[in-house]
Amino acid sequence: VNQILLLLLVLTVCAILYNKVHQVPLALKNETVDLETPEEMEEEIPVVICAAAGRMGAAVAAISSIYSNTEANVLFYIIGLKTNIPHIRKWIENSKLKEIKFKVVEFNPTVLKGKIRQDASRPELLQPLNFVRFYLPLLIQKHEKVIYLDDDVIVQGDIQELYDTKLAPGHAAAFSDDCDLPSTHEMVRSVGMQNTYMGFLDYRKQAIRDLGISPSTCSFNPGVIVANMTEWKHQRITKQLEKWMQRNVEENLYSSTLGGGVATSPMLIVFHGKYSSINPMWHIRHLGWSPDARYSEQFLQEAKLLHWNGRYKPWDYPSVHTDLWENWFIPDPSGKFKLTRPDS
């Protein structure tokens, strides 16, 4: 019996020693799994762009520029009205953009009923898709962080850099401050653009004065947004924006004849003092404000993102710096969208 017990003890010790020598550490096992599935670990960058009727070429050029200048895992959310969706889908699927990851999302304009004051001076600014940025959490639901871009932009840098913009605690969004870049100040003065709250809100109205915001406060441009969806929902940003849209319908608190847009003004009110800043080179604006005023070529080459905000769009005529935009334009396979040029 003693010999049998001794034999069993020896076998047990040998088994323990064998396992210690040949066992793979748990940490190494995990590391091996991670190395075998890098795509699963790659962060997805959601980019929201609208595709409006008559401007789809703009959305396509913006997407083309982003896709061509990054190795990041970008997922494009292309927002359109029901009647526009087949056109933009066909354009993408029948061009070199067929390789991109994208989702086409329908925007229902009925959510705007009774919230937009009719304004004859610039009716194009009242188009439903101009207000998509107000409803980001309703359209894009599975992401914590989202980039929104106007369609009249070209991205020359790596979109990963913009996505990595740090938002301060409690901030639902980051924007470009209209006073942030000295290089643009001369352009602003030369064409009479507005860069303060006075240019966007009617300070003759008591509701505006009651906000306690100085009219000389620098404005920001919501054509490029890095948004935190959790904070946006927590602070009920969409409801706040809708409240000021409704008040404008009733009291005419802002107008497109002021700052040139009706979507900017409610955002200036709701986000006053509560937004983070985007790197100035990631939003070089005002390229569409005048058919004559130009930036230096060197400055534009250094820019990460170009924005033709204003009346003079690079797919129309007259406009400036159209060569930088046309580098990324992809012709419409259906032939419906055509560039307007002096010889056309």
Side-chain angles (χ1 to χ4, degrees):
V1 173
N2 290 338
Q3 290 178 341
I4 293 173
L5 290 175
L6 180 61
L7 178 62
L8 289 175
L9 179 62
V10 170
L11 291 174
T12 301
V13 171
C14 290
I16 292 172
L17 290 174
Y18 179 86
N19 285 336
K20 284 185 177 292
V21 172
H22 292 86
Q23 186 178 31
V24 179
L26 183 60
L28 184 57
K29 287 183 179 178
N30 291 340
E31 185 179 352
T32 303
V33 171
D34 290 346
L35 291 173
E36 290 176 352
T37 58
E39 292 183 1
E40 293 180 8
M41 304 301 294
E42 188 177 9
E43 188 171 22
E44 200 169 59
I45 298 179
V47 177
V48 179
I49 296 180
C50 295
R55 298 172 60 117
M56 289 192 189
V60 167
I63 293 169
S64 173
S65 70
I66 295 167
Y67 180 65
S68 300
N69 287 306
T70 187
E71 296 294 328
N73 181 23
V74 180
L75 173 59
F76 292 97
Y77 284 87
I78 303 170
I79 315 298
L81 301 180
K82 186 175 183 178
T83 53
N84 305 338
I85 286 176
H87 186 186
I88 192 65
R89 186 182 292 278
K90 180 180 178 181
W91 197 330
I92 291 172
E93 292 177 348
N94 290 276
S95 72
K96 66 180 183 180
L97 293 181
K98 61 186 177 183
E99 302 297 329
I100 70 171
K101 292 172 58 179
F102 74 100
K103 293 182 180 180
V104 178
V105 180
E106 179 185 346
F107 181 68
N108 188 344
T110 59
V111 299
L112 301 172
K113 187 175 181 180
K115 300 183 181 73
I116 300 178
R117 184 183 183 87
Q118 295 305 308
D119 193 325
S121 60
R122 290 194 65 187
E124 74 275 13
L125 297 175
L126 305 180
Q127 296 301 314
L129 295 182
N130 202 32
F131 300 91
V132 160
R133 70 198 90 188
F134 291 12
Y135 297 93
L136 291 177
L138 301 181
L139 298 166
I140 316 300
Q141 298 180 357
K142 72 170 188 173
H143 301 280
E144 168 72 12
K145 197 175 187 182
V146 171
I147 294 174
Y148 166 88
L149 300 176
D150 277 354
D151 60 2
D152 50 356
V153 306
I154 289 296
V155 174
Q156 301 185 137
D158 187 342
I159 198 71
Q160 180 76 55
E161 294 180 26
L162 181 60
Y163 185 75
D164 289 341
T165 298
K166 301 297 183 184
L167 274 67
H171 286 179
F175 305 99
S176 292
D177 192 284
D178 283 330
C179 305
D180 59 8
L181 201 61
S183 306
T184 66
H185 293 177
E186 183 178 347
M187 170 79 81
V188 170
R189 288 191 296 269
S190 67
V191 297
M193 287 180 287
Q194 301 291 340
N195 64 355
T196 67
Y197 273 58
M198 174 65 84
F200 293 88
L201 304 177
D202 189 347
Y203 276 82
R204 296 172 299 178
K205 302 298 174 64
Q206 187 61 45
I208 298 301
R209 295 198 299 271
D210 287 345
L211 291 170
I213 302 173
S214 169
S216 62
T217 300
C218 192
S219 54
F220 59 80
N221 187 297
V224 176
I225 307 172
V226 180
N228 181 313
M229 294 292 91
T230 299
E231 280 295 337
W232 193 293
K233 289 181 282 190
H234 175 70
Q235 297 179 32
R236 299 171 60 85
I237 296 294
T238 297
K239 288 296 183 184
Q240 293 187 58
L241 292 167
E242 287 184 325
K243 182 191 81 169
W244 284 102
M245 292 171 72
Q246 188 67 52
R247 291 198 65 174
N248 183 57
V249 171
E250 300 164 358
E251 305 174 48
N252 193 20
L253 303 176
Y254 48 85
S255 165
S256 66
T257 58
L258 292 172
V262 293
T264 299
S265 299
M267 299 197 85
L268 290 177
I269 295 172
V270 170
F271 284 101
H272 173 253
K274 295 184 294 184
Y275 66 91
S276 298
S277 296
I278 290 173
N279 181 330
M281 297 306 289
W282 267 100
H283 195 177
I284 302 304
R285 357 192 227 293
H286 315 317
L287 277 76
W289 207 265
S290 166
D292 304 308
R294 291 174 171 267
Y295 290 110
S296 74
E297 292 301 323
Q298 180 180 352
F299 178 68
L300 293 179
Q301 291 299 327
E302 294 172 354
K304 303 289 188 178
L305 182 148
L306 305 175
H307 188 184
W308 278 262
N309 57 311
R311 296 174 183 265
Y312 303 98
K313 304 301 185 185
W315 55 90
D316 279 336
Y317 180 83
S319 56
V320 296
H321 303 299
T322 54
D323 55 322
L324 295 175
W325 184 85
E326 281 193 52
N327 284 339
W328 307 106
F329 174 66
I330 299 172
D332 182 1
S334 72
K336 295 177 183 178
F337 183 94
K338 294 182 173 64
L339 302 182
T340 303
R341 294 295 180 256
D343 55 351
S344 63

XYZ file of all heavy atoms in Angstrom, residues 122 124-125 150 152 178 184-196 199-200 219-222 255-262 264 283-295 306-314 318-321:
480
model
N -33.151 84.319 -48.843
C -32.312 83.193 -49.261
C -33.065 81.890 -48.994
O -32.792 81.168 -48.030
C -30.962 83.201 -48.530
C -30.044 84.322 -48.963
C -28.627 84.094 -48.482
N -28.036 82.909 -49.108
C -26.845 82.415 -48.750
N -26.149 82.984 -47.789
N -26.353 81.356 -49.360
N -32.914 79.023 -50.223
C -32.142 77.779 -50.223
C -31.674 77.395 -48.830
O -31.404 76.221 -48.546
C -30.934 77.897 -51.165
C -29.775 78.756 -50.675
C -29.934 80.248 -50.967
O -31.055 80.661 -51.341
O -28.949 80.986 -50.818
N -31.590 78.394 -47.923
C -31.148 78.105 -46.563
C -32.238 77.441 -45.723
O -31.981 76.985 -44.620
C -30.686 79.395 -45.879
C -29.474 80.084 -46.529
C -29.192 81.410 -45.848
C -28.250 79.193 -46.478
N -20.691 69.973 -43.577
C -21.483 70.517 -44.669
C -21.009 69.897 -45.976
O -19.855 69.452 -46.090
C -21.323 72.042 -44.736
C -22.247 72.769 -43.771
O -23.099 72.103 -43.135
O -22.125 74.003 -43.645
N -20.385 71.386 -48.795
C -19.508 72.236 -49.607
C -18.101 72.342 -49.009
O -17.521 73.420 -48.924
C -20.113 73.629 -49.790
C -20.560 74.270 -48.493
O -20.481 73.611 -47.440
O -21.004 75.440 -48.531
N -14.945 81.793 -35.053
C -14.793 82.701 -36.188
C -13.688 83.733 -35.997
O -13.399 84.497 -36.925
C -16.121 83.412 -36.480
C -17.110 82.506 -37.208
O -16.649 81.630 -37.957
O -18.327 82.678 -37.026
N -7.373 84.742 -41.633
C -8.673 84.949 -42.280
C -9.280 86.307 -41.953
O -10.294 86.672 -42.543
C -9.666 83.851 -41.842
O -9.933 83.986 -40.435
C -9.102 82.468 -42.106
N -8.694 87.046 -41.040
C -9.300 88.308 -40.612
C -9.398 89.311 -41.748
O -10.396 90.035 -41.879
C -8.518 88.892 -39.439
C -8.630 88.068 -38.189
N -7.954 88.361 -37.022
C -9.343 86.937 -37.925
C -8.252 87.456 -36.100
N -9.080 86.582 -36.629
N -8.361 89.388 -42.576
C -8.390 90.333 -43.697
C -9.497 89.974 -44.672
O -10.189 90.848 -45.185
C -7.033 90.339 -44.406
C -6.963 91.357 -45.536
C -5.598 91.386 -46.202
O -4.635 90.809 -45.639
O -5.495 91.975 -47.288
N -9.672 88.675 -44.923
C -10.742 88.219 -45.800
C -12.102 88.621 -45.229
O -12.971 89.128 -45.953
C -10.679 86.696 -45.947
C -11.872 86.085 -46.645
S -11.846 86.237 -48.426
C -10.764 84.884 -48.851
N -12.285 88.430 -43.938
C -13.557 88.778 -43.293
C -13.868 90.266 -43.469
O -14.972 90.657 -43.830
C -13.514 88.406 -41.794
C -14.720 88.992 -41.059
C -13.476 86.885 -41.616
N -12.864 91.101 -43.228
C -13.073 92.549 -43.345
C -13.327 92.964 -44.797
O -14.155 93.831 -45.064
C -11.855 93.301 -42.790
C -11.730 93.254 -41.266
C -10.675 94.237 -40.789
N -9.339 93.875 -41.287
C -8.493 93.090 -40.627
N -8.835 92.593 -39.440
N -7.304 92.792 -41.130
N -12.616 92.342 -45.737
C -12.688 92.788 -47.133
C -14.040 92.526 -47.780
O -14.453 93.263 -48.673
C -11.585 92.109 -47.952
O -11.819 90.712 -48.056
N -14.734 91.493 -47.363
C -16.019 91.175 -47.993
C -17.196 91.412 -47.050
O -18.334 91.057 -47.363
C -16.034 89.716 -48.502
C -14.987 89.520 -49.566
C -15.830 88.721 -47.364
N -16.944 92.005 -45.902
C -18.033 92.393 -45.001
C -18.736 91.252 -44.312
O -19.930 91.331 -44.020
N -18.013 90.180 -44.016
C -18.625 89.050 -43.317
C -18.796 89.346 -41.834
O -18.116 90.215 -41.286
C -17.766 87.792 -43.491
C -17.847 87.208 -44.879
S -16.817 85.740 -45.036
C -15.194 86.478 -45.062
N -19.691 88.603 -41.221
C -19.953 88.768 -39.800
C -19.195 87.702 -39.007
O -19.145 86.535 -39.417
C -21.449 88.639 -39.511
C -22.309 89.651 -40.253
C -22.102 91.060 -39.742
O -21.616 91.267 -38.640
N -22.468 92.047 -40.545
N -18.617 88.100 -37.869
C -17.972 87.095 -37.016
C -18.282 87.330 -35.536
O -17.543 86.902 -34.667
C -16.466 87.059 -37.257
C -15.767 88.364 -36.883
O -16.422 89.340 -36.520
N -14.457 88.379 -36.975
N -19.400 88.027 -35.273
C -19.865 88.214 -33.898
C -21.355 87.899 -33.818
O -22.045 87.820 -34.833
C -19.626 89.649 -33.404
O -20.476 90.539 -34.160
C -18.170 90.064 -33.564
N -24.054 89.856 -35.708
C -24.354 89.576 -37.101
C -25.384 88.485 -37.312
O -25.839 88.278 -38.436
N -25.769 87.793 -36.241
C -26.682 86.665 -36.389
C -27.989 86.808 -35.619
O -28.971 86.154 -35.948
C -25.980 85.374 -35.939
C -24.848 84.958 -36.821
C -23.565 85.429 -36.598
C -25.060 84.098 -37.891
C -22.507 85.055 -37.408
C -24.007 83.715 -38.720
C -22.731 84.198 -38.482
N -18.577 84.635 -32.903
C -19.449 83.538 -33.316
C -18.614 82.306 -33.679
O -17.391 82.335 -33.638
C -20.307 83.973 -34.507
O -19.485 84.467 -35.552
N -19.287 81.225 -34.023
C -18.609 80.021 -34.511
C -19.372 79.490 -35.707
O -20.525 79.858 -35.946
C -18.487 78.955 -33.414
C -19.792 78.494 -32.835
C -20.578 77.565 -33.488
C -20.242 78.991 -31.610
C -21.786 77.129 -32.958
C -21.451 78.572 -31.068
C -22.226 77.639 -31.745
N -18.729 78.622 -36.472
C -19.343 78.101 -37.692
C -19.716 76.631 -37.512
O -18.835 75.796 -37.265
C -18.371 78.256 -38.865
C -19.009 77.888 -40.194
O -19.401 76.753 -40.408
N -19.106 78.856 -41.095
N -21.004 76.266 -37.649
C -21.434 74.872 -37.442
C -21.408 74.022 -38.703
O -22.091 73.020 -38.787
C -22.862 75.051 -36.928
C -23.346 76.270 -37.647
C -22.160 77.174 -37.797
N -32.530 86.263 -38.791
C -32.933 86.258 -40.189
C -31.737 85.913 -41.062
O -30.589 86.188 -40.712
C -33.478 87.634 -40.586
O -33.566 87.767 -41.985
N -32.002 85.359 -42.238
C -30.912 85.056 -43.163
C -30.286 86.327 -43.710
O -29.189 86.302 -44.263
C -31.424 84.193 -44.322
O -32.344 84.912 -45.110
N -30.969 87.450 -43.571
C -30.387 88.710 -44.032
C -29.306 89.198 -43.080
O -28.554 90.114 -43.404
C -31.469 89.803 -44.154
O -32.099 89.973 -42.876
C -32.524 89.413 -45.170
N -29.225 88.588 -41.898
C -28.175 88.984 -40.948
C -26.905 88.196 -41.245
O -26.083 88.608 -42.046
C -28.656 88.734 -39.513
C -29.805 89.634 -39.034
C -30.322 89.146 -37.681
C -29.322 91.073 -38.908
N -26.710 87.078 -40.637
C -25.466 86.336 -40.781
C -25.415 85.428 -41.993
O -24.428 84.746 -42.209
N -26.485 85.402 -42.788
C -26.448 84.560 -43.972
C -26.870 83.128 -43.723
O -26.578 82.242 -44.512
N -27.572 82.869 -42.634
C -28.037 81.512 -42.388
C -28.987 81.453 -41.216
O -28.876 82.229 -40.277
N -29.967 80.545 -41.294
C -30.940 80.414 -40.214
C -30.675 79.186 -39.347
O -31.329 79.004 -38.329
C -32.376 80.349 -40.777
C -32.758 81.668 -41.418
C -32.505 79.219 -41.808
N -27.517 78.562 -38.195
C -26.433 78.937 -37.288
C -26.952 79.593 -36.020
O -26.473 79.299 -34.917
C -25.443 79.891 -37.990
O -24.872 79.217 -39.110
C -24.341 80.346 -37.051
N -10.660 73.970 -40.492
C -11.879 74.603 -41.003
C -11.547 75.979 -41.567
O -11.812 77.004 -40.949
C -12.947 74.709 -39.908
C -14.312 75.016 -40.450
N -15.426 75.096 -39.651
C -14.744 75.280 -41.709
C -16.487 75.396 -40.387
N -16.096 75.512 -41.646
N -10.963 75.992 -42.757
C -10.680 77.249 -43.457
C -11.915 77.596 -44.269
O -12.274 76.905 -45.213
C -9.445 77.113 -44.367
C -8.235 76.682 -43.543
C -9.175 78.433 -45.093
C -7.900 77.589 -42.377
N -12.584 78.688 -43.882
C -13.895 78.984 -44.426
C -13.897 80.224 -45.313
O -12.869 80.790 -45.614
C -14.929 79.180 -43.321
C -14.411 78.960 -41.974
C -15.402 78.865 -40.870
N -14.960 79.703 -39.768
C -13.886 79.440 -39.059
N -13.136 78.397 -39.342
N -13.537 80.228 -38.078
N -15.102 80.587 -45.735
C -15.391 81.809 -46.498
C -14.938 81.735 -47.949
O -14.932 82.758 -48.629
C -14.757 83.043 -45.835
C -14.936 83.118 -44.347
N -16.138 82.826 -43.730
C -14.073 83.448 -43.348
C -15.996 82.970 -42.426
N -14.756 83.343 -42.176
N -14.590 80.542 -48.460
C -14.168 80.463 -49.852
C -15.319 80.748 -50.812
O -15.086 81.041 -51.983
C -13.576 79.077 -50.159
C -12.100 78.874 -49.786
C -11.946 78.680 -48.289
C -11.518 77.677 -50.526
N -16.559 80.657 -50.319
C -17.702 80.916 -51.187
C -18.378 82.246 -50.925
O -19.502 82.466 -51.364
N -17.702 83.138 -50.188
C -18.359 84.391 -49.811
C -18.246 85.468 -50.877
O -19.059 86.374 -50.938
C -17.778 84.901 -48.488
C -18.744 85.747 -47.732
C -18.835 87.110 -47.760
C -19.785 85.299 -46.863
N -19.848 87.537 -46.943
C -20.457 86.439 -46.378
C -20.206 84.038 -46.428
C -21.524 86.361 -45.492
C -21.268 83.962 -45.559
C -21.916 85.108 -45.091
N -17.230 85.382 -51.711
C -17.018 86.395 -52.754
C -16.431 85.731 -53.991
O -15.598 84.822 -53.862
C -16.061 87.486 -52.249
O -15.598 88.290 -53.320
N -16.839 86.152 -55.193
C -16.255 85.573 -56.416
C -14.889 86.158 -56.748
O -14.283 85.767 -57.742
C -17.289 85.935 -57.484
C -17.882 87.214 -56.993
C -17.911 87.123 -55.490
N -14.406 87.065 -55.907
C -13.144 87.746 -56.188
C -12.087 87.544 -55.106
O -10.897 87.451 -55.404
C -13.383 89.252 -56.366
C -14.407 89.540 -57.450
O -14.235 89.011 -58.568
O -15.377 90.270 -57.179
N -12.494 87.496 -53.836
C -11.536 87.426 -52.737
C -10.904 86.034 -52.670
O -11.611 85.022 -52.639
C -12.217 87.762 -51.419
N -9.566 85.998 -52.637
C -8.848 84.739 -52.650
C -7.844 84.655 -51.498
O -7.327 85.674 -51.054
C -8.073 84.566 -53.969
C -8.953 84.354 -55.181
C -8.121 84.346 -56.460
N -8.906 83.931 -57.609
C -8.991 82.679 -58.049
N -8.305 81.719 -57.434
N -9.724 82.373 -59.089
N -7.581 83.426 -51.071
C -6.482 83.160 -50.150
C -5.230 82.867 -50.976
O -5.311 82.530 -52.161
C -6.778 81.949 -49.267
C -7.854 82.156 -48.226
C -9.084 81.525 -48.332
C -7.616 82.956 -47.115
C -10.068 81.684 -47.352
C -8.589 83.124 -46.134
C -9.807 82.491 -46.265
O -10.772 82.655 -45.302
N -11.228 72.733 -46.413
C -11.656 73.960 -47.083
C -13.184 73.989 -47.144
O -13.817 72.975 -47.463
C -11.082 74.020 -48.502
C -9.559 73.886 -48.623
C -9.156 73.850 -50.093
C -8.854 75.018 -47.899
N -13.758 75.152 -46.860
C -15.216 75.275 -46.790
C -15.668 76.456 -47.647
O -15.316 77.602 -47.374
C -15.646 75.483 -45.327
C -17.121 75.430 -45.121
N -17.708 75.677 -43.890
C -18.153 75.169 -45.967
C -19.019 75.563 -44.007
N -19.315 75.260 -45.258
N -16.476 76.161 -48.663
C -17.010 77.206 -49.548
C -18.351 77.704 -49.014
O -19.346 77.734 -49.736
C -17.175 76.657 -50.970
C -15.916 76.653 -51.783
C -15.523 77.577 -52.700
C -14.890 75.652 -51.800
N -14.315 77.234 -53.270
C -13.901 76.042 -52.731
C -14.696 74.448 -51.107
C -12.763 75.292 -52.991
C -13.561 73.705 -51.354
C -12.604 74.117 -52.280
N -18.387 78.112 -47.735
C -19.639 78.667 -47.225
C -19.877 80.029 -47.878
O -18.951 80.787 -48.137
C -19.608 78.790 -45.699
C -18.447 79.638 -45.203
O -17.305 79.437 -45.599
N -18.726 80.596 -44.317
N -21.135 80.323 -48.139
C -21.482 81.535 -48.868
C -22.235 81.196 -50.151
O -22.541 80.031 -50.425
N -22.531 82.186 -50.951
C -23.352 82.005 -52.156
C -22.594 81.384 -53.322
O -23.195 80.786 -54.212
C -23.907 83.359 -52.620
C -24.853 84.023 -51.640
C -25.205 85.423 -52.144
N -26.071 86.151 -51.215
C -27.393 86.193 -51.297
N -28.005 85.539 -52.262
N -28.105 86.878 -50.423
N -21.268 81.545 -53.375
C -20.510 81.215 -54.582
C -19.846 79.844 -54.439
O -18.734 79.711 -53.938
C -19.485 82.320 -54.862
C -20.140 83.668 -55.010
C -20.175 84.567 -53.935
C -20.756 84.025 -56.202
C -20.805 85.800 -54.061
C -21.387 85.259 -56.342
C -21.413 86.136 -55.264
O -22.036 87.356 -55.385
N -20.567 78.824 -54.908
C -20.146 77.435 -54.721
C -19.207 76.989 -55.839
O -19.322 77.441 -56.986
C -21.365 76.515 -54.675
C -22.392 76.888 -53.610
C -21.799 76.876 -52.212
C -22.855 77.135 -51.138
N -22.262 77.235 -49.785
N -18.297 76.063 -55.528
C -17.284 75.677 -56.524
C -17.813 74.863 -57.697
O -17.104 74.676 -58.677
C -16.278 74.867 -55.696
C -17.071 74.335 -54.556
C -18.081 75.398 -54.233
N -20.014 82.417 -60.912
C -18.574 82.451 -60.615
C -18.265 81.863 -59.244
O -19.120 81.791 -58.376
C -18.279 83.948 -60.643
C -19.553 84.585 -60.150
C -20.661 83.732 -60.713
N -17.017 81.468 -59.047
C -16.530 80.983 -57.760
C -15.002 81.000 -57.796
O -14.404 81.191 -58.859
C -17.045 79.571 -57.481
O -16.690 78.692 -58.537
N -14.380 80.805 -56.636
C -12.919 80.866 -56.560
C -12.348 79.527 -56.095
O -13.042 78.728 -55.469
C -12.450 81.986 -55.596
C -12.875 83.354 -56.113
C -12.976 81.756 -54.177
N -11.089 79.323 -56.417
C -10.351 78.119 -56.014
C -11.070 76.835 -56.440
O -11.048 75.826 -55.724
C -10.120 78.110 -54.506
C -9.399 79.329 -54.004
N -8.125 79.666 -54.409
C -9.772 80.307 -53.121
C -7.736 80.786 -53.803
N -8.715 81.192 -53.025
